[in-house]
Amino acid sequence: NKKISIAIDGPAAAGKSTVAKFVAEKLSYIYIDTGAMYRALTYKALKKHISLENEDELINLLNDTTIILLPGDQGQLIFLDEENVSEDIRTREVTNTVSIVAKHKLVREEMVERQKSFAVNGGVVMDGRDIGTHVLPDAEVKVFLLASVDERAIRRHNENIQKGFPSDLAKLKEEISLRDKLDSEREFAPLKKAADAVEIDTTALTIEQVVERIMVLALERI
Ligand code: C5P
């Protein structure tokens, strides 16, 4: 059996990580959440009071930072310089500032290099914003996941409520739209569907249906 690479891109809260995890599990592939890497750097920069606009300081910080992604029972675990930051990188503060860190060219180049190195042997499902366009341009399967802003905000809202977190649906909608805008309009490697990616609108689909669609695409190429 050939070990292929699967790239899953799309806007914020489109369900990328959830379906990527299931697809990776079904194929016994490695799942790589590239957003977690940008989040980890953002978390560290905020903690060190480094300006998120300062590209030089951010790249120095990144060059001095190890980010390790490991599979855990409850999803991916993220270790920042050996500290488990899996939950710390999901705070609203990190979520609402990560797009500033992710716009810098030097930061992206270093992240992309690290991400490529995880995928050299294939057998990966990677999710992010620029996987099909920049990180894995030769991926055998490329998927672009879409859903309406309303649907994405409602999903995130329900998730928050389930976890017992405070949640404001209107605010969430605003924050998701702003993050999409920043990610799609940045100069370097903006959020964009690769020319050869298959678009899946998940608005009216269940997680299982989306996973199934991607599995069909994957099995055609294995
Ligand atoms: O996927 P997630 O929502 O955790 O990503 C957080 C942020 O990281 C995105 O909003 C985007 O700014 C950045 N990102 C990126 N390129 C990727 C993955 C994430 O710019 N491949």
Side-chain angles (χ1 to χ4, degrees):
N1 260 9
K2 198 170 103 188
K3 285 197 152 194
I4 62 167
S5 296
I6 302 175
I8 301 182
D9 291 299
K16 299 184 296 293
S17 68
T18 307
V19 300
K21 248 177 284 181
F22 280 120
V23 171
E25 220 172 83
K26 281 182 185 282
L27 294 168
S28 302
Y29 280 12
I30 301 168
Y31 163 57
I32 297 161
D33 173 359
T34 63
M37 298 171 69
Y38 291 96
R39 286 172 179 273
L41 178 62
T42 304
Y43 171 75
K44 188 170 177 179
L46 288 170
K47 224 166 111 178
K48 290 192 170 281
H49 303 288
I50 287 173
S51 159
L52 305 187
E53 294 290 347
N54 193 326
E55 181 166 21
D56 291 336
E57 282 197 40
L58 286 172
I59 190 64
N60 285 338
L61 185 69
L62 179 56
N63 286 333
D64 199 31
T65 298
T66 57
I67 301 169
I68 296 175
L69 308 177
L70 289 176
D73 291 340
Q74 320 278 333
Q76 185 127 75
L77 294 175
I78 296 92
F79 290 86
L80 172 70
D81 301 322
E82 268 136 66
E83 183 196 347
N84 183 348
V85 294
S86 310
E87 292 189 0
D88 309 83
I89 63 166
R90 307 282 165 199
T91 61
R92 258 185 87 197
E93 188 186 19
V94 172
T95 300
N96 291 336
T97 51
V98 59
S99 294
I100 305 170
V101 170
K103 73 179 176 178
H104 299 294
K105 184 167 185 270
L106 296 176
V107 168
R108 300 202 67 81
E109 282 172 353
E110 171 62 18
M111 290 294 196
V112 168
E113 201 165 304
R114 293 186 189 194
Q115 290 154 7
K116 280 181 195 273
S117 76
F118 295 151
V120 277
N121 298 318
V124 295
V125 183
M126 202 179 271
D127 84 9
R129 303 292 185 289
D130 62 340
I131 310 306
T133 54
H134 286 84
V135 181
L136 304 175
D138 299 324
E140 285 84 353
V141 174
K142 294 184 186 179
V143 173
F144 197 80
L145 285 191
L146 281 174
S148 69
V149 175
D150 282 308
E151 175 64 22
R152 288 184 280 138
I154 287 170
R155 288 181 192 167
R156 209 25 74 85
H157 182 63
N158 290 338
E159 246 175 65
N160 286 343
I161 287 174
Q162 216 171 27
K163 289 181 187 157
F165 297 161
S167 193
D168 176 336
L169 182 59
K171 254 251 141 60
L172 267 176
K173 216 175 122 174
E174 233 172 74
E175 290 169 354
I176 288 173
S177 305
L178 175 63
R179 195 142 65 94
D180 285 351
K181 185 173 157 61
L182 293 174
D183 289 342
S184 338
E185 292 179 359
R186 71 180 171 224
E187 188 178 354
F188 305 104
L191 165 66
K192 199 178 151 215
K193 175 180 167 298
D196 52 351
V198 175
E199 190 172 298
I200 303 178
D201 187 333
T202 74
T203 306
L205 298 179
T206 64
I207 292 167
E208 292 75 20
Q209 287 171 321
V210 181
V211 170
E212 197 43 47
R213 297 268 300 267
I214 299 174
M215 285 301 293
V216 169
L217 296 172
L219 294 172
E220 282 171 359
R221 286 164 181 83
I222 290 175

